[in-house]
Amino acid sequence: MRRVVILGRGGAGKSALARRLAAATGLPLTELDELFWSADATPLPRDRWAAIQDELVAAETWILDGDLGPFDVLEPRLRAADTIIVLDFPLGVCLWRALRRSRESLVFWRWVICYRRRSLPGILAGISRCASADQYLLRHPREVERFLDEQR
């Protein structure tokens, strides 16, 4: 495990998993939200976002944490990854965590609520089409704990 992509709906715990995995493995972590969203919550243009990811994946080791929903361009990081982790937690868990975390936009809430129907099929198809990586579909926080235990 040297190049890790972590995906999942808002509130699933992607960033928490990424931080713990970085601590356990020593891999450098990049939180994609910090690079993608401007101060006024405007997304980057798709071509610029793809170019930034091409730069990120050129490094030998990394953890890229983030799922930018309908704004994302997944292919650059899926092609470069050797490990892909998708967090597919129940909606209630994600809603509760997201509500506790911060105020979010209507676009965010629609994405969270419709994730399994609208986003997840495209993510899984992209993984199937672009990636030759170890894949983990974790559906519950207990599965994340087991995964992390295996990495130690």
Side-chain angles (χ1 to χ4, degrees), residues 34-100:
E34 294 174 3
L35 300 174
F36 183 75
W37 298 103
S38 68
D40 67 351
T42 303
L44 284 174
R46 293 180 71 77
D47 59 338
R48 179 70 184 124
W49 181 231
I52 288 170
Q53 289 182 82
D54 286 339
E55 293 172 19
L56 292 171
V57 302
E60 285 188 37
T61 60
W62 39 261
I63 297 172
L64 299 179
D65 153 37
D67 188 329
L68 303 161
F71 304 104
D72 212 346
V73 178
L74 290 171
E75 289 79 9
R77 57 191 196 271
L78 293 180
R79 277 193 215 103
D82 66 13
T83 305
I84 300 170
I85 304 165
V86 179
L87 301 181
D88 182 27
F89 289 4
L91 176 59
V93 170
C94 296
L95 286 174
W96 175 247
R97 289 178 173 182
L99 281 167
R100 288 186 6 214

Side-chain angles (χ1 to χ4, degrees), residues 9-14 16-17 87 89-102 104 108-109 140-142 144-145:
R9 78 169 106 200
K14 297 179 298 294
L17 168 59
L87 301 181
F89 289 4
L91 176 59
V93 170
C94 296
L95 286 174
W96 175 247
R97 289 178 173 182
L99 281 167
R100 288 186 6 214
R101 179 177 66 198
S102 65
E104 298 287 354
F108 173 83
W109 293 116
H140 193 277
R142 285 188 304 267
V144 170
E145 294 305 318

Side-chain angles (χ1 to χ4, degrees), residues 111-142:
W111 170 62
V112 168
I113 291 167
C114 298
Y115 184 82
R116 277 192 179 157
R117 188 174 73 248
R118 292 188 184 159
S119 295
L120 187 58
I123 288 170
L124 297 177
I127 291 169
S128 179
R129 184 179 63 251
C130 297
S132 57
D134 294 332
Q135 300 168 30
Y136 300 88
L137 182 62
L138 307 178
R139 297 185 185 264
H140 193 277
R142 285 188 304 267

